[in-house]
Amino acid sequence: MRKIKADKLNILGRLREDVGLKREEVEAHIKKLEIPDLSCSTSYLCKLEKLGTDKKPSLELAIELCKMYKCRLEDIYPNLKDKLKGLKVC
């Protein structure tokens, strides 16, 4: 597998590297959780972490990544507050 240099990573990739995790470790942790419909392969992480991509993880995956990376959802979704303001809550 081809490795991406640190300067070619977006915020998600830098958050992962800041805590010293490898993509394989993230994949193994997510698999251990055994949550239905939640998966995260190494190749999927590569796509998410590529600089310039507009892909974002699902909310469920983002929550688990935040726990592992010790960050907030706003770090992964910078305009989260704006999106939540538009939602109507019953």
Side-chain angles (χ1 to χ4, degrees):
M1 179 171 38
R2 186 175 57 144
K3 297 214 179 220
I4 297 176
K5 292 183 181 179
D7 59 341
K8 301 267 184 173
L9 296 175
N10 63 16
I11 186 68
L12 193 59
R14 289 192 304 270
L15 287 168
R16 179 185 50 76
E17 286 195 339
D18 287 348
V19 293
L21 291 171
K22 295 183 176 161
R23 290 186 187 107
E24 294 81 11
E25 295 170 325
V26 175
E27 178 183 15
H29 178 77
I30 298 296
K31 280 183 182 177
K32 263 198 294 188
L33 295 175
E34 296 180 357
I35 299 174
D37 301 326
L38 182 64
S39 65
C40 182
S41 67
T42 304
S43 62
Y44 182 63
L45 274 176
C46 287
K47 290 178 186 176
L48 290 176
E49 294 177 356
K50 187 176 181 182
L51 186 64
T53 188
D54 57 353
K55 292 183 179 224
K56 296 286 183 190
S58 67
L59 185 58
E60 295 84 9
L61 180 57
I63 290 169
E64 291 303 323
L65 292 176
C66 284
K67 291 176 187 175
M68 292 178 68
Y69 299 171
K70 297 175 179 70
C71 66
R72 301 173 303 146
L73 276 176
E74 290 87 0
D75 296 331
I76 296 175
Y77 293 104
N79 55 356
L80 180 66
K81 288 182 182 178
D82 295 336
K83 287 183 181 182
L84 291 176
K85 284 180 186 177
L87 293 177
K88 293 182 180 179
V89 179
C90 296

